[in-house]
mmCIF file of all heavy atoms in Angstrom:
data_model
loop_
_atom_site.group_PDB
_atom_site.id
_atom_site.type_symbol
_atom_site.label_atom_id
_atom_site.label_comp_id
_atom_site.label_asym_id
_atom_site.label_seq_id
_atom_site.Cartn_x
_atom_site.Cartn_y
_atom_site.Cartn_z
ATOM 1 N N PRO K 1 -2.730 -10.384 -6.843
ATOM 2 C CA PRO K 1 -3.398 -9.349 -6.046
ATOM 3 C C PRO K 1 -2.383 -8.456 -5.358
ATOM 4 O O PRO K 1 -1.340 -8.931 -4.897
ATOM 5 C CB PRO K 1 -4.225 -10.147 -5.035
ATOM 6 C CG PRO K 1 -3.613 -11.503 -4.989
ATOM 7 C CD PRO K 1 -3.032 -11.744 -6.348
ATOM 8 N N THR K 2 -2.677 -7.157 -5.297
ATOM 9 C CA THR K 2 -1.787 -6.201 -4.644
ATOM 10 C C THR K 2 -2.440 -5.662 -3.381
ATOM 11 O O THR K 2 -3.649 -5.815 -3.170
ATOM 12 C CB THR K 2 -1.453 -5.020 -5.576
ATOM 13 O OG1 THR K 2 -2.559 -4.107 -5.603
ATOM 14 C CG2 THR K 2 -1.146 -5.495 -6.998
ATOM 15 N N VAL K 3 -1.643 -4.992 -2.554
ATOM 16 C CA VAL K 3 -2.178 -4.439 -1.314
ATOM 17 C C VAL K 3 -3.264 -3.404 -1.583
ATOM 18 O O VAL K 3 -4.173 -3.221 -0.759
ATOM 19 C CB VAL K 3 -1.060 -3.818 -0.455
ATOM 20 C CG1 VAL K 3 -0.174 -4.896 0.132
ATOM 21 C CG2 VAL K 3 -0.231 -2.805 -1.244
ATOM 22 N N LEU K 4 -3.206 -2.750 -2.741
ATOM 23 C CA LEU K 4 -4.240 -1.750 -3.049
ATOM 24 C C LEU K 4 -5.599 -2.395 -3.284
ATOM 25 O O LEU K 4 -6.632 -1.723 -3.152
ATOM 26 C CB LEU K 4 -3.830 -0.921 -4.263
ATOM 27 C CG LEU K 4 -2.648 0.030 -4.046
ATOM 28 C CD1 LEU K 4 -2.381 0.856 -5.291
ATOM 29 C CD2 LEU K 4 -2.875 0.941 -2.851
ATOM 30 N N ASP K 5 -5.630 -3.678 -3.631
ATOM 31 C CA ASP K 5 -6.902 -4.383 -3.787
ATOM 32 C C ASP K 5 -7.650 -4.492 -2.460
ATOM 33 O O ASP K 5 -8.871 -4.713 -2.447
ATOM 34 C CB ASP K 5 -6.669 -5.791 -4.352
ATOM 35 C CG ASP K 5 -6.133 -5.764 -5.769
ATOM 36 O OD1 ASP K 5 -6.492 -4.833 -6.527
ATOM 37 O OD2 ASP K 5 -5.344 -6.659 -6.134
ATOM 38 N N LEU K 6 -6.930 -4.342 -1.363
ATOM 39 C CA LEU K 6 -7.541 -4.467 -0.035
ATOM 40 C C LEU K 6 -8.065 -3.145 0.500
ATOM 41 O O LEU K 6 -8.808 -3.121 1.484
ATOM 42 C CB LEU K 6 -6.511 -5.027 0.958
ATOM 43 C CG LEU K 6 -6.002 -6.442 0.670
ATOM 44 C CD1 LEU K 6 -4.770 -6.739 1.518
ATOM 45 C CD2 LEU K 6 -7.095 -7.461 0.938
ATOM 46 N N VAL K 7 -7.656 -2.037 -0.122
ATOM 47 C CA VAL K 7 -8.017 -0.706 0.375
ATOM 48 C C VAL K 7 -9.063 -0.100 -0.555
ATOM 49 O O VAL K 7 -8.750 0.400 -1.630
ATOM 50 C CB VAL K 7 -6.777 0.202 0.474
ATOM 51 C CG1 VAL K 7 -7.153 1.563 1.048
ATOM 52 C CG2 VAL K 7 -5.700 -0.446 1.344
ATOM 53 N N LYS K 8 -10.305 -0.162 -0.148
ATOM 54 C CA LYS K 8 -11.417 0.309 -0.979
ATOM 55 C C LYS K 8 -11.942 1.646 -0.463
ATOM 56 O O LYS K 8 -11.892 1.932 0.730
ATOM 57 C CB LYS K 8 -12.563 -0.716 -0.970
ATOM 58 C CG LYS K 8 -12.155 -2.129 -1.375
ATOM 59 C CD LYS K 8 -11.705 -2.209 -2.820
ATOM 60 C CE LYS K 8 -11.420 -3.647 -3.232
ATOM 61 N NZ LYS K 8 -10.926 -3.747 -4.609
ATOM 62 N N GLY K 9 -12.421 2.460 -1.376
ATOM 63 C CA GLY K 9 -13.085 3.698 -0.999
ATOM 64 C C GLY K 9 -12.169 4.878 -0.743
ATOM 65 O O GLY K 9 -12.625 5.897 -0.216
ATOM 66 N N VAL K 10 -10.888 4.763 -1.106
ATOM 67 C CA VAL K 10 -9.951 5.875 -0.941
ATOM 68 C C VAL K 10 -9.767 6.525 -2.311
ATOM 69 O O VAL K 10 -9.260 5.896 -3.238
ATOM 70 C CB VAL K 10 -8.594 5.383 -0.396
ATOM 71 C CG1 VAL K 10 -7.613 6.548 -0.280
ATOM 72 C CG2 VAL K 10 -8.787 4.702 0.960
ATOM 73 N N LYS K 11 -10.183 7.775 -2.460
ATOM 74 C CA LYS K 11 -10.160 8.420 -3.769
ATOM 75 C C LYS K 11 -8.775 8.923 -4.160
ATOM 76 O O LYS K 11 -8.466 9.066 -5.341
ATOM 77 C CB LYS K 11 -11.159 9.584 -3.819
ATOM 78 C CG LYS K 11 -10.859 10.710 -2.842
ATOM 79 C CD LYS K 11 -11.910 11.812 -2.935
ATOM 80 C CE LYS K 11 -11.601 12.954 -1.970
ATOM 81 N NZ LYS K 11 -12.598 14.039 -2.050
ATOM 82 N N GLU K 12 -7.924 9.215 -3.159
ATOM 83 C CA GLU K 12 -6.580 9.687 -3.462
ATOM 84 C C GLU K 12 -5.722 8.553 -4.031
ATOM 85 O O GLU K 12 -5.943 7.379 -3.728
ATOM 86 C CB GLU K 12 -5.893 10.248 -2.203
ATOM 87 C CG GLU K 12 -6.492 11.541 -1.699
ATOM 88 C CD GLU K 12 -7.709 11.332 -0.818
ATOM 89 O OE1 GLU K 12 -8.061 10.157 -0.549
ATOM 90 O OE2 GLU K 12 -8.323 12.327 -0.394
ATOM 91 N N ARG K 13 -4.745 8.933 -4.833
ATOM 92 C CA ARG K 13 -3.822 7.957 -5.397
ATOM 93 C C ARG K 13 -2.738 7.660 -4.360
ATOM 94 O O ARG K 13 -1.871 8.479 -4.090
ATOM 95 C CB ARG K 13 -3.185 8.518 -6.670
ATOM 96 C CG ARG K 13 -2.177 7.581 -7.331
ATOM 97 C CD ARG K 13 -1.512 8.271 -8.507
ATOM 98 N NE ARG K 13 -0.384 7.514 -9.003
ATOM 99 C CZ ARG K 13 0.737 8.043 -9.440
ATOM 100 N NH1 ARG K 13 0.894 9.358 -9.426
ATOM 101 N NH2 ARG K 13 1.712 7.287 -9.898
ATOM 102 N N ILE K 14 -2.809 6.500 -3.731
ATOM 103 C CA ILE K 14 -1.861 6.133 -2.685
ATOM 104 C C ILE K 14 -0.956 5.001 -3.169
ATOM 105 O O ILE K 14 -1.227 4.366 -4.191
ATOM 106 C CB ILE K 14 -2.586 5.714 -1.391
ATOM 107 C CG1 ILE K 14 -3.555 4.551 -1.676
ATOM 108 C CG2 ILE K 14 -3.326 6.899 -0.780
ATOM 109 C CD1 ILE K 14 -4.207 3.987 -0.425
ATOM 110 N N TYR K 15 0.106 4.778 -2.426
ATOM 111 C CA TYR K 15 1.072 3.738 -2.783
ATOM 112 C C TYR K 15 1.701 3.228 -1.488
ATOM 113 O O TYR K 15 1.727 3.921 -0.458
ATOM 114 C CB TYR K 15 2.149 4.288 -3.724
ATOM 115 C CG TYR K 15 2.685 5.617 -3.287
ATOM 116 C CD1 TYR K 15 3.707 5.706 -2.354
ATOM 117 C CD2 TYR K 15 2.128 6.813 -3.752
ATOM 118 C CE1 TYR K 15 4.184 6.927 -1.919
ATOM 119 C CE2 TYR K 15 2.598 8.045 -3.320
ATOM 120 C CZ TYR K 15 3.631 8.092 -2.400
ATOM 121 O OH TYR K 15 4.088 9.311 -1.965
ATOM 122 N N PRO K 16 2.221 1.994 -1.503
ATOM 123 C CA PRO K 16 2.821 1.443 -0.282
ATOM 124 C C PRO K 16 4.191 2.038 -0.008
ATOM 125 O O PRO K 16 4.939 2.378 -0.923
ATOM 126 C CB PRO K 16 2.925 -0.062 -0.594
ATOM 127 C CG PRO K 16 2.934 -0.146 -2.091
ATOM 128 C CD PRO K 16 2.129 1.004 -2.593
ATOM 129 N N VAL K 17 4.509 2.148 1.279
ATOM 130 C CA VAL K 17 5.815 2.638 1.717
ATOM 131 C C VAL K 17 6.704 1.421 1.971
ATOM 132 O O VAL K 17 6.452 0.648 2.894
ATOM 133 C CB VAL K 17 5.696 3.480 2.997
ATOM 134 C CG1 VAL K 17 7.074 3.928 3.468
ATOM 135 C CG2 VAL K 17 4.779 4.678 2.761
ATOM 136 N N GLY K 18 7.720 1.245 1.155
ATOM 137 C CA GLY K 18 8.578 0.074 1.300
ATOM 138 C C GLY K 18 7.875 -1.177 0.807
ATOM 139 O O GLY K 18 6.865 -1.107 0.096
ATOM 140 N N ARG K 19 8.395 -2.322 1.210
ATOM 141 C CA ARG K 19 7.874 -3.595 0.715
ATOM 142 C C ARG K 19 7.747 -4.613 1.831
ATOM 143 O O ARG K 19 8.477 -4.570 2.811
ATOM 144 C CB ARG K 19 8.826 -4.169 -0.338
ATOM 145 C CG ARG K 19 9.004 -3.269 -1.562
ATOM 146 C CD ARG K 19 8.342 -3.872 -2.767
ATOM 147 N NE ARG K 19 8.418 -2.987 -3.911
ATOM 148 C CZ ARG K 19 8.605 -3.404 -5.148
ATOM 149 N NH1 ARG K 19 8.767 -4.689 -5.396
ATOM 150 N NH2 ARG K 19 8.609 -2.561 -6.156
ATOM 151 N N LEU K 20 6.795 -5.518 1.641
ATOM 152 C CA LEU K 20 6.732 -6.761 2.393
ATOM 153 C C LEU K 20 6.662 -7.881 1.367
ATOM 154 O O LEU K 20 5.918 -7.776 0.376
ATOM 155 C CB LEU K 20 5.490 -6.815 3.297
ATOM 156 C CG LEU K 20 5.563 -6.150 4.668
ATOM 157 C CD1 LEU K 20 4.260 -6.374 5.421
ATOM 158 C CD2 LEU K 20 6.728 -6.677 5.485
ATOM 159 N N ASP K 21 7.412 -8.950 1.596
ATOM 160 C CA ASP K 21 7.423 -10.056 0.641
ATOM 161 C C ASP K 21 6.015 -10.622 0.423
ATOM 162 O O ASP K 21 5.143 -10.515 1.288
ATOM 163 C CB ASP K 21 8.320 -11.186 1.157
ATOM 164 C CG ASP K 21 9.756 -10.738 1.357
ATOM 165 O OD1 ASP K 21 10.175 -9.804 0.657
ATOM 166 O OD2 ASP K 21 10.438 -11.324 2.219
ATOM 167 N N TYR K 22 5.845 -11.265 -0.711
ATOM 168 C CA TYR K 22 4.583 -11.909 -1.075
ATOM 169 C C TYR K 22 4.095 -12.848 0.022
ATOM 170 O O TYR K 22 2.905 -12.887 0.349
ATOM 171 C CB TYR K 22 4.798 -12.676 -2.385
ATOM 172 C CG TYR K 22 3.593 -13.388 -2.929
ATOM 173 C CD1 TYR K 22 2.589 -12.695 -3.601
ATOM 174 C CD2 TYR K 22 3.468 -14.777 -2.807
ATOM 175 C CE1 TYR K 22 1.482 -13.353 -4.127
ATOM 176 C CE2 TYR K 22 2.371 -15.443 -3.332
ATOM 177 C CZ TYR K 22 1.375 -14.724 -3.985
ATOM 178 O OH TYR K 22 0.284 -15.381 -4.507
ATOM 179 N N ASP K 23 5.041 -13.590 0.637
ATOM 180 C CA ASP K 23 4.661 -14.582 1.650
ATOM 181 C C ASP K 23 4.874 -14.087 3.079
ATOM 182 O O ASP K 23 4.913 -14.873 4.026
ATOM 183 C CB ASP K 23 5.426 -15.892 1.420
ATOM 184 C CG ASP K 23 6.925 -15.663 1.214
ATOM 185 O OD1 ASP K 23 7.348 -14.504 1.221
ATOM 186 O OD2 ASP K 23 7.656 -16.655 1.035
ATOM 187 N N THR K 24 5.000 -12.766 3.252
ATOM 188 C CA THR K 24 5.112 -12.164 4.580
ATOM 189 C C THR K 24 3.877 -11.321 4.859
ATOM 190 O O THR K 24 3.369 -10.642 3.969
ATOM 191 C CB THR K 24 6.374 -11.276 4.669
ATOM 192 O OG1 THR K 24 7.529 -12.096 4.479
ATOM 193 C CG2 THR K 24 6.479 -10.597 6.028
ATOM 194 N N SER K 25 3.408 -11.369 6.090
ATOM 195 C CA SER K 25 2.223 -10.591 6.468
ATOM 196 C C SER K 25 2.630 -9.440 7.372
ATOM 197 O O SER K 25 3.782 -9.307 7.766
ATOM 198 C CB SER K 25 1.204 -11.491 7.185
ATOM 199 O OG SER K 25 1.735 -11.939 8.417
ATOM 200 N N GLY K 26 1.639 -8.579 7.695
ATOM 201 C CA GLY K 26 1.871 -7.573 8.713
ATOM 202 C C GLY K 26 1.755 -6.140 8.266
ATOM 203 O O GLY K 26 1.153 -5.816 7.239
ATOM 204 N N LEU K 27 2.358 -5.260 9.061
ATOM 205 C CA LEU K 27 2.146 -3.818 8.964
ATOM 206 C C LEU K 27 2.800 -3.224 7.721
ATOM 207 O O LEU K 27 3.992 -3.393 7.487
ATOM 208 C CB LEU K 27 2.707 -3.146 10.225
ATOM 209 C CG LEU K 27 2.368 -1.669 10.471
ATOM 210 C CD1 LEU K 27 2.506 -1.363 11.967
ATOM 211 C CD2 LEU K 27 3.240 -0.719 9.686
ATOM 212 N N ILE K 28 1.994 -2.534 6.949
ATOM 213 C CA ILE K 28 2.481 -1.755 5.813
ATOM 214 C C ILE K 28 1.746 -0.414 5.828
ATOM 215 O O ILE K 28 0.556 -0.352 6.148
ATOM 216 C CB ILE K 28 2.273 -2.497 4.469
ATOM 217 C CG1 ILE K 28 3.025 -1.789 3.341
ATOM 218 C CG2 ILE K 28 0.821 -2.668 4.137
ATOM 219 C CD1 ILE K 28 4.459 -2.163 3.232
ATOM 220 N N ILE K 29 2.474 0.666 5.530
ATOM 221 C CA ILE K 29 1.883 2.000 5.463
ATOM 222 C C ILE K 29 1.617 2.338 4.001
ATOM 223 O O ILE K 29 2.441 2.063 3.123
ATOM 224 C CB ILE K 29 2.824 3.059 6.070
ATOM 225 C CG1 ILE K 29 3.120 2.734 7.541
ATOM 226 C CG2 ILE K 29 2.225 4.464 5.935
ATOM 227 C CD1 ILE K 29 1.918 2.772 8.443
ATOM 228 N N LEU K 30 0.457 2.930 3.721
ATOM 229 C CA LEU K 30 0.139 3.438 2.396
ATOM 230 C C LEU K 30 -0.151 4.927 2.509
ATOM 231 O O LEU K 30 -0.815 5.362 3.464
ATOM 232 C CB LEU K 30 -1.066 2.709 1.793
ATOM 233 C CG LEU K 30 -0.867 1.203 1.594
ATOM 234 C CD1 LEU K 30 -1.608 0.433 2.670
ATOM 235 C CD2 LEU K 30 -1.350 0.758 0.221
ATOM 236 N N THR K 31 0.338 5.712 1.549
ATOM 237 C CA THR K 31 0.212 7.160 1.649
ATOM 238 C C THR K 31 0.364 7.793 0.276
ATOM 239 O O THR K 31 0.681 7.112 -0.702
ATOM 240 C CB THR K 31 1.280 7.720 2.617
ATOM 241 O OG1 THR K 31 1.062 9.118 2.814
ATOM 242 C CG2 THR K 31 2.673 7.515 2.065
ATOM 243 N N ASN K 32 0.148 9.104 0.210
ATOM 244 C CA ASN K 32 0.488 9.892 -0.976
ATOM 245 C C ASN K 32 1.510 10.970 -0.617
ATOM 246 O O ASN K 32 1.692 11.926 -1.355
ATOM 247 C CB ASN K 32 -0.770 10.522 -1.594
ATOM 248 C CG ASN K 32 -1.541 11.389 -0.603
ATOM 249 O OD1 ASN K 32 -1.213 11.440 0.587
ATOM 250 N ND2 ASN K 32 -2.569 12.066 -1.072
ATOM 251 N N ASP K 33 2.167 10.789 0.522
ATOM 252 C CA ASP K 33 3.148 11.748 1.030
ATOM 253 C C ASP K 33 4.555 11.290 0.633
ATOM 254 O O ASP K 33 5.141 10.424 1.289
ATOM 255 C CB ASP K 33 3.013 11.849 2.552
ATOM 256 C CG ASP K 33 3.876 12.957 3.153
ATOM 257 O OD1 ASP K 33 4.861 13.346 2.506
ATOM 258 O OD2 ASP K 33 3.556 13.418 4.263
ATOM 259 N N GLY K 34 5.092 11.871 -0.427
ATOM 260 C CA GLY K 34 6.401 11.477 -0.911
ATOM 261 C C GLY K 34 7.519 11.790 0.057
ATOM 262 O O GLY K 34 8.488 11.032 0.173
ATOM 263 N N ASP K 35 7.398 12.897 0.776
ATOM 264 C CA ASP K 35 8.428 13.287 1.735
ATOM 265 C C ASP K 35 8.511 12.262 2.863
ATOM 266 O O ASP K 35 9.597 11.806 3.235
ATOM 267 C CB ASP K 35 8.103 14.678 2.286
ATOM 268 C CG ASP K 35 9.176 15.205 3.229
ATOM 269 O OD1 ASP K 35 10.328 14.749 3.107
ATOM 270 O OD2 ASP K 35 8.866 16.059 4.070
#
């Protein structure tokens, strides 16, 4: 399972900013802003 499986109903193509390990929890930002 990926973090995108948790974000439902967003029509834009988004992606996570940086990484969090598989066994680490917490804050992650998802966006479509490459800059």
Side-chain angles (χ1 to χ4, degrees):
T2 78
V3 289
L4 291 183
D5 294 327
L6 296 167
V7 182
K8 306 295 185 183
V10 178
K11 63 181 181 180
E12 291 84 3
R13 179 185 169 218
I14 57 174
Y15 45 85
V17 178
R19 299 250 176 143
L20 276 183
D21 300 333
Y22 181 78
D23 48 358
T24 297
S25 65
L27 191 157
I28 191 84
I29 300 296
L30 299 104
T31 186
N32 57 354
D33 187 337
D35 184 24

